[in-house]
Amino acid sequence: MGNCKSSSRARLGKAHVVPDSEWRMQDFGKTHVPDLEWRINDFSSLLETGAKSAKSDAFHCSGYNWYLQVSPMHKETGSETPYVALCLKTSQPSMVPGHTVHVVFELSIYNHTKGMYCGCKDTYNFHFKNTYSKEQCLIPLQELLKSSAFLVDDSCVFGVEILKIDVSSPEKKAVVVQKKDTTVQNLFVQKKGFVKGTYTWNMNNFLELDSDHFVRSPTFEVGGHKWYVCIYPRGDKYSTDCLSLYLYLDASDELRLESKKVVVMTLSILDQKNGKHLTATSGLLVFTGGRGWGWADFLGLKNLKDPAGGYVVGSSCVVKADLTIVGSSNDG
């Protein structure tokens, strides 16, 4: 079996400014140079997918992996007004248990008319179990769709700049944010012709598995690429008394010469008695060879082992993966 633990993977979290019709976002000026510049092409197609979020590929800053998440139809509690909300995420494998990473950052959208970014400045404490910042930089969706300054040729450009990082740890680690060239990424959402695939993994020896380690499914093909499911029957190091479940693009499928795949996935553990299957669905995620996405706390071990439930019957457990390739991503 391949080594799931050596591959990168991520888990699938408010001080903020709520813009009025003028958006009330700070102009960062033409000297603002983001660490990540993320262009979402075919923004209307992103909305048509109905996905709750889209996540960039990783960008690197000061020894950590970071992601920008855009939620295109976010709604505040008690409000029906949809916003485009930005959120900063860090990679859990790059976090050290017992460390708190205090980050000062700016989330922004590019104003083509002014030739500069504008957005919101925020701070957040990231740690091993808390890898998402709060939704920030709320942009009214309907106003964005009518804007000729922020939406050009059905494309938006978003940015992230990491301004300061302080680490609280027993070692009192000091981190210096070193400026480097901006990471440029492009997300393309197909207007039609999505490629869909389903794989069902029947494990008839589930109770005999080496529960302290991962178990990898046979590879299966969707869209001309090889995929596999990875399960940790007792959870991986990121879980809390839960089974962990991930989907991977096989490491042999490096996609070095073409765009990375943008996927919406649903992972399920089937209830073989009552038909009450447990499912979790992602937003838009960028997959490349060896990259896995999923949920560390997918199903509590108590519920997994409950005789009244149907997740494990005898020694049988059935996992299902549904994935839809909705687009591609590349580095600019």
Side-chain angles (χ1 to χ4, degrees):
M1 289 186 295
N3 187 347
C4 290
K5 290 185 178 179
S6 68
S7 303
S8 61
R9 64 176 174 278
R11 289 203 307 160
L12 301 178
K14 238 179 198 209
H16 59 251
V17 176
V18 180
D20 59 10
S21 59
E22 297 179 355
W23 295 18
R24 286 191 194 165
M25 292 191 293
Q26 175 184 354
D27 284 339
F28 292 145
K30 296 181 180 180
T31 58
H32 174 71
V33 180
D35 294 295
L36 171 70
E37 178 183 292
W38 192 31
R39 178 183 295 273
I40 298 182
N41 299 274
D42 310 311
F43 189 78
S44 60
S45 296
L46 170 62
L47 295 175
E48 289 171 6
T49 68
K52 292 183 178 180
S53 65
K55 199 177 279 85
S56 74
D57 199 5
F59 67 98
H60 311 285
C61 181
S62 302
Y64 297 91
N65 289 336
W66 305 93
Y67 305 85
L68 175 60
Q69 178 172 290
V70 174
S71 301
M73 292 178 283
H74 171 78
K75 291 184 180 179
E76 293 283 83
T77 302
S79 171
E80 290 301 312
T81 302
Y83 290 94
V84 177
L86 307 185
C87 168
L88 180 64
K89 182 189 183 304
T90 187
S91 168
Q92 196 167 36
S94 67
M95 302 295 288
V96 178
H99 289 201
T100 298
V101 182
H102 179 76
V103 184
V104 182
F105 57 94
E106 291 174 339
L107 303 174
S108 56
I109 183 171
Y110 189 69
N111 186 320
H112 292 268
T113 301
K114 294 183 177 181
M116 65 178 66
Y117 284 89
C118 66
C120 307
K121 184 176 180 179
D122 198 10
T123 63
Y124 198 73
N125 291 326
F126 295 90
H127 54 80
F128 190 68
K129 288 290 187 179
N130 194 2
T131 58
Y132 284 87
S133 74
K134 298 166 185 177
E135 275 87 5
Q136 177 62 288
C137 195
L138 303 178
I139 305 161
L141 173 61
Q142 295 307 317
E143 293 187 32
L144 175 62
L145 294 176
K146 294 184 293 185
S147 171
S148 60
F150 298 95
L151 187 67
V152 177
D153 295 329
D154 201 21
S155 299
C156 295
V157 179
F158 299 97
V160 182
E161 183 172 7
I162 308 293
L163 301 176
K164 185 179 180 181
I165 298 177
D166 293 313
V167 180
S168 298
S169 68
E171 302 84 9
K172 296 183 178 179
K173 179 182 177 183
V175 176
V176 177
V177 177
Q178 297 179 333
K179 293 305 293 181
K180 60 179 183 179
D181 292 339
T182 300
T183 298
V184 179
Q185 298 176 11
N186 295 281
L187 177 72
F188 300 92
V189 183
Q190 297 169 203
K191 297 183 182 299
K192 58 182 180 179
F194 295 162
V195 178
K196 298 184 178 183
T198 296
Y199 175 73
T200 302
W201 181 20
N202 293 284
M203 288 174 281
N204 296 320
N205 62 336
F206 183 78
L207 297 180
E208 288 78 50
L209 297 176
D210 185 349
S211 298
D212 291 329
H213 299 87
F214 67 89
V215 181
R216 171 179 162 166
S217 77
T219 57
F220 58 96
E221 187 171 305
V222 175
H225 300 283
K226 296 178 180 178
W227 309 81
Y228 64 89
V229 174
C230 189
I231 189 171
Y232 293 76
R234 290 185 184 172
D236 61 13
K237 64 181 180 180
Y238 309 112
S239 69
T240 305
D241 297 321
C242 292
L243 172 149
S244 305
L245 195 60
Y246 298 93
L247 174 70
Y248 281 81
L249 179 61
D250 193 87
S252 65
D253 204 330
E254 289 291 349
L255 297 177
R256 293 189 184 277
L257 300 179
E258 59 176 305
S259 296
K260 303 163 189 175
K261 298 304 173 186
V262 177
V263 173
V264 175
M265 68 174 182
T266 297
L267 298 183
S268 308
I269 295 183
L270 303 189
D271 181 339
Q272 302 173 66
K273 288 184 178 179
N274 312 300
K276 298 179 180 178
H277 310 317
L278 177 65
T279 66
T281 300
S282 73
L284 273 62
L285 302 169
V286 178
F287 278 83
T288 189
R291 169 70 53 79
W293 290 98
W295 293 268
D297 294 331
F298 188 85
L299 172 61
L301 297 180
K302 182 178 179 180
N303 290 335
L304 175 68
K305 299 174 182 177
D306 185 354
Y311 298 123
V312 178
V313 176
S315 190
S316 171
C317 182
V318 183
V319 172
K320 184 182 176 188
D322 296 280
L323 60 147
T324 304
I325 301 174
V326 301
S328 61
S329 173
N330 63 33
D331 299 330

